[in-house]
Amino acid sequence: MLRKSFTHRPLSLGRHVLVSAIATTLAAAAAAPAVAQQGDTQPRTLRKVDVQADADAGYKPERASSSKYTEPLRDTPQTVQVVPAKVIEDQNQFSLYEMLRNVPGITFSAAEGGNSFGDAINLRGNRADNDIQVDGIRDSAQTSRTDPFNLEQLEVTKGASSVYSGSGAISGTINMVSKAARNGDFARLSAGVGSDNYFRSTLDANRQLSDTTAIRVNLMAHENDVAGRDEVWAERWGAAVSLAFGLQTDTRLTLNYLHQENDRVPDRGLPWRRPAGGLAAGSDAAPVPVNRSTYFGWSNLDREDAVIDNLTGIFEKDFGESLTLRNTTRYGETSNYSHLVQLGGRLCVDGAGVAATNGNPLNPTCAPGESSYTPSNPANARDDETTIIANVTDFTWGFTTGSVEHTLVAGLAITREKFERTSLSNVYPEGAAAADYVTVRDLYNPGSTAWTGPVNYVPGNVNSNKVNNEALYVFDTLRLNEQWLLNAALRYERHEAVYDTFNRTAATTSRSEATDHLFSGRVGVVYKPVENGSIYLAYGNSTAPSAATVIASCSATGANANCNVDPEEISSYELGTKWDFLDNRLGLTAAVFRNDKTNARVNSGDPDIPTQVLDGESRVDGIELGLTGSITPNWSLYASYAYLDSEVLQSISDAQRAANVIDAQAGNAIAFTPEQSGNIWTTYTLPFGLEIGYGINHVGKYYTESTGVNDSEVPSYTLHNAMLSYRLGGLNLRLNVNNVTDTKYWTAVHVARWGNPGAERSFVLTTSYDF
């Protein structure tokens, strides 16, 4: 069904009331006599990887959720930053963007043209939006991940990590760990209200049905506007159910189902423009000086409407005390309808006769002093459907060879990803055109944001893409003695991608395809001078084929042809140390690293070589620090810092260099890579029960291009957030104030076209009740 315009309808109170009604029912059930506990099994020799063991870890989780990480985080030779549920809750975060503000070295970029928004993430100098996982399985849908209601913790692995995550992952992986049923009875009902039409209600309830069976239900209803932005709002609801069988036995099965629906008006933000003749050196892009609340889209057409369904089964079987089989199977569907007006059109900025166009100085220029705006036509929409089927099977085996203890993980992963996009075009009456319904407006007071012209979206071209991946991997942690550990891993993948485009006008289908055989590995040495500390040195590589994602295809022809070009590869070197202090309550991490990409794809510049060549090079050197946990029982801290020294070493082919072609990017910083970034969040509970929290997020300036000419410099910013919380028995009241100082900042900027202003100061009061 083709969806057209819509209007903002606040979430019916029924959804919020439904959460409360179900909570009341579960409260009554929880009051019933508990099942008698008996016959708990003894701890097994081989550690069972179960993230639920860290569910109550506060600010300092001890382990990552994946079975591939056989050791505690302290003894894992790589930077792995975990954002636990407690931090997410205390900061009242409700989107992936907000949660990742706790992770330095990450920026977001704005979406292209008529494409869906999605989470356009940049990590350590490289795009990472195809490296998002849910419970260790790639989540390739191009959508905005908007709610943590079913999230136990967020894990960010940094550095080359294809060996863990599969093709890509050249700068790291972002893994969202879902809540799952576990032993015990608990429930929390929460309701929040705040500025900018913020309303939210959630329920998290776990009930043990027998000695070995439990069910967990999570519900969410949410709506909000965006502080300081006109016409921008979001509403969503979700439900997740987890059912676990065989808890504390040698055969365990967990079934998880998630359904979530998101509706929102996406935000292109405000125009950024280059001055006329902007191709001249020094004519950098800058934001147009309009009111930050001004909405430049079509409020009754622009939308992002997503429906997410994921069904996951996790089966585990212990064979004695040293061997465990684990199988994870998932079927997931994400549909995403989006209509986003690109901030193009003719734009004139007054002031000393300086004119501006939409980024192309060849477009008609403006009269000096003129200030006008011609909106973009509501031309295109997208109707996307992403499906993933995945099966991951691995064995974890503990054994010894002589005096060496091994923890070996070997497995097979099979994924099938399918993406279908129908492009929709607005068709006008015969003899009419889009321009007939678009009028020139005052730049500083555009007036109505509603589209009043015809709305008749009809199907156009259809993209049908498939990516099939089969992978074999093996990990081995060798404990040589009490002081030395050796960690080694190897992965092989067969990666096949087929991209079909059906041209509806010509009734023809074109195809591009690629098959790659990928090898990635990692090796790390850990020295433990004492039990509570480690020093490590590690090396890893990642491979990224041209056809890495199911969303964007490789090019079969033209100067950008890359379907048959070998994969890019990045090498990561890291020297670090990790220590636990204060009876293991407080963890300190420090690392220096280098990420080297030595064969980036660039155009050949030679008409006799019709494909791209692997002559590009770039490098990121950096330092990363972290301090998380509890300084005292009443004082918690979550802090991290990253320094990134990025550089494009070569952006043209070797043949072009030999011909003395100027390399405009060489020596410049990599786009979307801030040199300095960090965060501090701390809470302290006073003797009379009042908890005070305060946090700082800082992102240094960065550029949206690496050319050194026409760069959009995104200025640095520092955000301050505060929290007050008071608990009385099972009742807790929490007040969050975000952007306390009302700082003006940008969350994402497109290359010299538009940028998304950050939210202004906002307040949220949340009441939660544990029962």
Side-chain angles (χ1 to χ4, degrees):
M1 180 178 68
L2 302 181
R3 289 156 287 191
K4 300 178 182 178
S5 63
F6 76 121
T7 56
H8 178 20
R9 298 190 303 273
L11 271 175
S12 68
L13 287 177
R15 293 181 187 171
H16 295 282
V17 171
L18 176 62
V19 172
S20 300
I22 295 177
T24 302
T25 302
L26 290 175
V35 177
Q37 301 298 306
Q38 52 182 301
D40 286 354
T41 59
Q42 296 298 313
R44 303 177 179 86
T45 300
L46 186 62
R47 181 187 69 82
K48 303 301 178 291
V49 178
D50 181 3
V51 75
Q52 298 306 326
D54 281 347
D56 301 316
Y59 278 23
K60 187 178 175 291
E62 300 296 332
R63 295 182 180 274
S65 59
S66 172
S67 58
K68 300 183 185 75
Y69 294 95
T70 62
E71 302 301 312
L73 292 173
R74 183 187 61 209
D75 298 332
T76 298
Q78 189 168 5
T79 298
V80 182
Q81 184 171 348
V82 178
V83 184
K86 187 67 169 67
V87 171
I88 296 170
E89 176 188 349
D90 286 350
Q91 296 181 357
N92 193 51
Q93 298 166 337
F94 51 89
S95 71
L96 182 60
Y97 164 75
E98 291 181 323
M99 290 183 281
L100 287 175
R101 282 207 304 231
N102 291 292
V103 182
I106 287 181
T107 59
F108 283 69
S109 52
E112 289 281 355
N115 288 339
S116 305
F117 255 22
D119 293 309
I121 299 170
N122 304 278
L123 171 62
R124 284 188 177 181
N126 291 282
R127 288 291 292 266
D129 34 294
N130 193 51
D131 303 318
I132 298 174
Q133 298 185 332
V134 176
D135 300 324
I137 294 176
R138 190 190 309 275
D139 182 22
S140 55
Q142 188 175 25
T143 188
S144 298
R145 293 151 183 90
T146 51
D147 209 287
F149 81 101
N150 194 44
L151 197 65
E152 197 70 77
Q153 63 187 35
L154 181 70
E155 303 169 346
V156 182
T157 300
K158 298 185 178 181
S161 54
S162 285
V163 73
Y164 293 108
S165 308
S167 62
I170 58 178
S171 286
T173 305
I174 299 165
N175 184 37
M176 298 182 289
V177 183
S178 303
K179 295 176 180 177
R182 55 188 172 121
N183 286 327
D185 293 334
F186 60 86
R188 171 171 292 182
L189 174 66
S190 70
V193 296
S195 57
D196 305 290
N197 294 315
Y198 176 101
F199 297 95
R200 180 177 177 84
S201 57
T202 63
L203 170 69
D204 181 2
N206 191 92
R207 178 68 174 166
Q208 191 162 344
L209 304 178
S210 71
D211 289 344
T212 61
T213 306
I215 186 172
R216 188 169 185 176
V217 176
N218 275 272
L219 303 175
M220 173 273 300
H222 177 101
E223 59 183 300
N224 70 279
D225 296 342
V226 176
R229 296 291 294 142
D230 292 342
E231 307 294 350
V232 183
W233 56 264
E235 59 181 36
R236 56 186 176 268
W237 71 275
V241 179
S242 176
L243 190 60
F245 304 93
L247 294 170
Q248 296 186 337
T249 72
D250 60 7
T251 304
R252 302 172 295 280
L253 174 65
T254 303
L255 299 175
N256 299 327
Y257 174 68
L258 167 72
H259 177 84
Q260 185 173 330
E261 297 188 13
N262 304 333
D263 292 318
R264 72 185 189 118
V265 172
D267 192 8
R268 283 287 186 208
L270 305 177
W272 282 49
R273 291 295 181 264
R274 297 169 179 156
L279 294 182
S283 298
D284 293 345
V288 175
V290 297
N291 191 303
R292 290 174 68 89
S293 66
T294 306
Y295 185 73
F296 282 91
W298 299 111
S299 58
N300 59 333
L301 288 181
D302 288 352
R303 71 182 296 179
E304 185 180 35
D305 180 3
V307 179
I308 302 166
D309 287 283
N310 278 332
L311 177 62
T312 306
I314 303 171
F315 174 79
E316 295 176 293
K317 174 66 177 179
D318 298 334
F319 299 93
E321 296 184 340
S322 61
L323 181 64
T324 295
L325 165 69
R326 178 183 174 95
N327 176 272
T328 302
T329 302
R330 171 171 300 152
Y331 177 82
E333 287 186 353
T334 300
S335 63
N336 198 72
Y337 173 85
S338 60
H339 181 283
L340 298 90
V341 171
Q342 178 170 306
L343 292 187
R346 183 170 178 267
L347 182 140
C348 304
V349 182
D350 59 355
V354 177
T357 69
N358 70 346
N360 183 354
L362 299 180
N363 279 8
T365 56
C366 308
E370 184 181 355
S371 58
S372 63
Y373 168 66
T374 306
S376 296
N377 301 317
N380 301 309
R382 305 286 188 266
D383 206 346
D384 298 347
E385 185 83 26
T386 306
T387 304
I388 182 169
I389 301 174
N391 185 277
V392 180
T393 303
D394 57 45
F395 288 89
T396 302
W397 182 25
F399 63 96
T400 61
T401 55
S403 61
V404 178
E405 299 178 2
H406 297 256
T407 304
L408 185 143
V409 180
L412 168 67
I414 302 173
T415 59
R416 298 289 183 263
E417 298 172 80
K418 183 179 179 180
F419 172 75
E420 184 168 297
R421 164 175 291 169
T422 300
S423 298
L424 309 173
S425 300
N426 196 11
V427 176
Y428 298 89
E430 185 175 355
D436 297 333
Y437 305 95
V438 177
T439 59
V440 178
R441 304 182 179 195
D442 187 321
L443 175 63
Y444 300 108
N445 186 21
S448 173
T449 61
W451 169 255
T452 58
V455 179
N456 182 28
Y457 283 96
V458 299
N461 295 347
V462 177
N463 297 94
S464 298
N465 305 338
K466 295 180 181 179
V467 169
N468 297 331
N469 185 284
E470 300 89 29
L472 292 169
Y473 55 84
V474 61
F475 298 78
D476 194 8
T477 299
L478 297 82
R479 186 173 291 274
L480 307 179
N481 52 44
E482 292 299 317
Q483 280 74 46
W484 290 94
L485 285 79
L486 176 64
N487 182 279
L490 183 66
R491 184 185 187 102
Y492 162 75
E493 299 174 71
R494 182 183 182 275
H495 187 85
E496 179 186 36
V498 178
Y499 305 103
D500 290 326
T501 300
F502 172 67
N503 186 311
R504 193 176 297 273
T505 302
T508 59
T509 299
S510 60
R511 168 171 288 190
S512 59
E513 55 188 319
T515 299
D516 292 285
H517 298 272
L518 311 174
F519 292 89
S520 55
R522 189 167 184 85
V523 62
V525 178
V526 180
Y527 171 64
K528 293 177 61 61
V530 291
E531 177 58 28
N532 66 308
S534 68
I535 302 168
Y536 65 88
L537 177 65
Y539 165 82
N541 79 300
S542 284
T543 52
S546 301
T549 76
V550 74
I551 304 294
S553 64
C554 61
S555 299
T557 59
N560 294 319
N562 58 4
C563 286
N564 297 315
V565 179
D566 288 340
E568 294 181 327
E569 185 169 327
I570 192 168
S571 297
S572 177
Y573 310 85
E574 185 170 326
L575 173 65
T577 185
K578 302 180 182 182
W579 292 82
D580 288 341
F581 300 105
L582 304 178
D583 294 328
N584 294 327
R585 295 196 313 267
L586 187 67
L588 170 68
T589 62
V592 294
F593 60 86
R594 166 170 287 182
N595 288 355
D596 263 338
K597 183 187 287 187
T598 56
N599 61 343
R601 286 182 290 270
V602 296
N603 290 349
S604 69
D606 186 341
D608 295 328
I609 303 177
T611 64
Q612 291 185 325
V613 293
L614 297 174
D615 292 341
E617 296 184 41
S618 64
R619 173 176 294 168
V620 179
D621 292 327
I623 300 171
E624 189 141 342
L625 306 173
L627 187 62
T628 61
S630 299
I631 299 173
T632 71
N634 291 339
W635 186 6
S636 296
L637 177 67
Y638 190 90
S640 54
Y641 166 80
Y643 171 81
L644 304 178
D645 180 14
S646 67
E647 183 180 0
V648 177
L649 301 177
Q650 181 175 333
S651 68
I652 60 177
S653 67
D654 289 344
Q656 288 175 305
R657 291 187 67 180
N660 295 320
V661 174
I662 296 176
D663 190 342
Q665 298 186 38
N668 294 331
I670 298 174
F672 295 103
T673 307
E675 189 174 79
Q676 309 265 0
S677 59
N679 67 280
I680 298 174
W681 174 261
T682 185
T683 64
Y684 187 83
T685 304
L686 299 171
F688 53 90
L690 180 66
E691 185 179 19
I692 301 173
Y694 200 84
I696 299 173
N697 296 103
H698 175 77
V699 177
K701 71 176 182 180
Y702 57 91
Y703 297 92
T704 62
E705 296 176 284
S706 298
T707 61
V709 179
N710 301 320
D711 282 352
S712 299
E713 180 183 304
V714 182
S716 64
Y717 66 87
T718 302
L719 296 182
H720 299 261
N721 304 300
M723 181 268 287
L724 290 175
S725 178
Y726 185 77
R727 177 172 292 277
L728 183 61
L731 183 67
N732 185 72
L733 296 175
R734 186 180 69 248
L735 174 66
N736 289 91
V737 184
N738 297 319
N739 195 2
V740 174
T741 57
D742 206 18
T743 298
K744 307 300 182 185
Y745 66 105
W746 300 91
T747 62
V749 175
H750 185 272
V751 179
R753 295 261 180 158
W754 59 80
N756 297 111
E760 296 179 355
R761 184 190 299 114
S762 62
F763 305 83
V764 173
L765 178 64
T766 303
T767 302
S768 62
Y769 181 64
D770 296 327
F771 55 92

